[in-house]
Amino acid sequence: MVGFTMIDFAILVVYLLAVLLAGLHFSKKEMKGKEFFKGDGTIPWWVTSVSIFATLLSPISFLSLAGNSYGGTWILWFAQLGIFIAIPLTIKFFLPLYSRLDLDTAYQYLEIRYQSKGLRVLGALMFIVYQIGRMSIIMYLPSIVLADLTGISVNVLIIVMGVIAIIYSYTGGLKSVLWTDFIQGVVLIVGVTGTLFFLISNIQGGFGTVVDTLATGEKFLGQNDVLFDPNILKTSVFIIFVGAGLNTFSSYVSSQDIVQRFTTTTDLKQLKKMTYGNGVLSIGLATVFFLIGTCLFIFYNQNPELAQTVKQDQIFASYIAYQLPVGVTGILLAAIYAASQSTLSTGLNSVATSWTLDIQTLISKDMSFEKQTKIAQYISLGVGILSIGISIVLANGEIKSAYEWFNSFMGLVLGVLAGIFVLGAFCKNATKFGAYAGFVVSAIIVVYLKYNVPEVSSWAYSLITITTSVVVGQISSMIQLKVTNKSNDVKSESTVYYESN
């Protein structure tokens, strides 16, 4: 067990420098205004597709998917199949909607549909707070793992990760972020897939043993894994599939970091290609991670003397550090870093875009493209430094559980936000008042359930929030219109019922 060597360290450094140089290369052309926020129209759909994939696959997923399969069963693999709910709903209803409205941000839709700047600002603020918390944790958790394996200071790892992401997010705007995401996504895919083949080649019986273990060893589904529970709010394969599908759908329609990718073009064919491409990548690589977890379970059972006493979610990183050949370890640890940086750079750019276009435009009227770009750059710089600071506090304190609590709480945001997007798109009579009512009631219900009714599966939250928002929002809107005796003047193109002539 060699562990992390100077060769691996050199590879990690070279990789980080290569990413930085690539980001600076794609930022050579000065981007201003909409080009900074939406790209310059030259970004291929397949680059954007890999970028969406890299954004959604955080390093927490990188480590935990293999860990779940290693320590348990494949029940959470069914969450990946939720893409079969998210993609059809997004392509059928929301991509045409966003394409014809030519949105600058996700939350501009709320202003157009409800004629409410307040809802636009509310959506943007909730996304920004959620994203800052998410970025801080995404820098912190992988850096802790890498620090344990490499001996490098966790503070140094956090700062390096943050500074590199800040530099190319600050200089090049969305185009630079998309291309560097693409590079990091490719590194991740190649590295992880190569590891799977290496693992299989080192298992007695090869892939046949893996298949036998999944078929007979209760590693695919265990005795306690329920396919369907009549109480759909309890954990089962069914609610994991539905809940994960609605979670991904919520990201697609209401999370600025994903919607921003859809704003790079109004060509519906290109939008469909990038969405389908992301779906294929998501299911494919998730399956690779689950196969890796099962292979690790078999490998360490066949070689108990090599087993590491690490937490379940660190077993994959431990294997990378101690069992892979020198040099390959550096590449794979770079892939973990890649998962972190792609999510981080996307977060910085999307927060800067949302603040500038959703909030700053209300404070500073008639901003020039140059001023918009400068404000976005300063926001990405400031938010990046803030996130680095929070991550370092986490790394040097005993408040990990508090911030995991914060992250899971803020993770409810997208389901609540998605509810008012769905309400607006599908309910022609929905009013601004109805949207606020649906938002508040769904938020109260899901927070209450989370902290007072633990038997309700967290996978059911998005189903609850979206349903509540639509039902409460529609009823409240009908009551308001009845009491005030007013009609609701809605732009038909902001709903799914619009028909072009």
Side-chain angles (χ1 to χ4, degrees), residues 22 30 52 56 72 82 92 98 116 203 225 253 260 271 277 288 312 345 355 364 374 378 393 398 410 428 434:
E30 187 178 7
I52 295 173
L56 290 174
K92 172 70 174 174
Y98 291 169
S116 170
I203 289 174
D225 293 335
V253 304
Q260 191 171 5
L271 289 170
V288 170
Q312 175 177 298
S345 61
W355 176 274
S364 307
K374 274 299 173 190
Y378 292 146
V393 169
E398 297 298 325
M410 292 310 297
K428 288 189 283 189

Side-chain angles (χ1 to χ4, degrees), residues 135-199:
M135 286 189 293
S136 301
I137 292 168
I138 279 167
M139 279 193 286
Y140 156 65
L141 291 179
S143 295
I144 286 288
V145 173
L146 289 173
D148 289 342
L149 295 175
T150 64
I152 301 171
S153 164
V154 66
N155 292 348
V156 170
L157 288 169
I158 289 171
I159 291 170
V160 169
M161 184 189 301
V163 167
I164 291 176
I166 287 170
I167 290 172
Y168 64 77
S169 299
Y170 179 94
T171 55
L174 184 61
K175 182 178 180 179
S176 180
V177 168
L178 288 176
W179 274 105
T180 47
D181 275 4
F182 173 76
I183 293 168
Q184 308 214 71
V186 170
V187 169
L188 195 155
I189 293 166
V190 172
V192 171
T193 305
T195 304
L196 174 62
F197 286 110
F198 182 84
L199 249 174

